[in-house]
Amino acid sequence: MNAPDHWFDDEAGPMVRLFALTQGRAKPQHTSLDVIALVAARTTPEHDLTLTPEQAGILDLCRGHPTPVAEISARSDLPLSVVRVLLADLVEAGHIRVERPTPARELPSENILQEVIDGLRAL
């Protein structure tokens, strides 16, 4: 039984292993990014010609309006883990700004919110 030389056809397009996109890294080195963190581009891909096509695509997705990390992953058709590594690289290079969500422990308690609602109803 002879196996074909290629297990994919010409329509599959270029095949790149995901670890090649992240230079072998599975996690961001310094930056932790929540899936709901908002990412905004500070520059355009034309400002840095050393960016990979994936990083340039991410900058284009974030141009003009903050975009959640999860949406970047979905729209770029890349796994979340790869997007997090690429975003961390872009943060370190100063190409993007990340707005992290407020931690739950810093949000107002349900009791305070209920008091505000009651106060507004009393007006």
Side-chain angles (χ1 to χ4, degrees), residues 22 24-32 81-82 84-86 88-89:
T22 62
R25 295 169 292 157
K27 291 192 259 183
Q29 293 176 341
H30 305 289
T31 307
S32 172
S81 59
V82 171
R84 283 180 168 158
V85 173
L86 296 175
D89 292 345

Side-chain angles (χ1 to χ4, degrees), residues 39-50:
V39 178
R42 289 183 163 176
T43 63
T44 60
E46 296 80 29
H47 284 93
D48 187 349
L49 298 178
T50 64

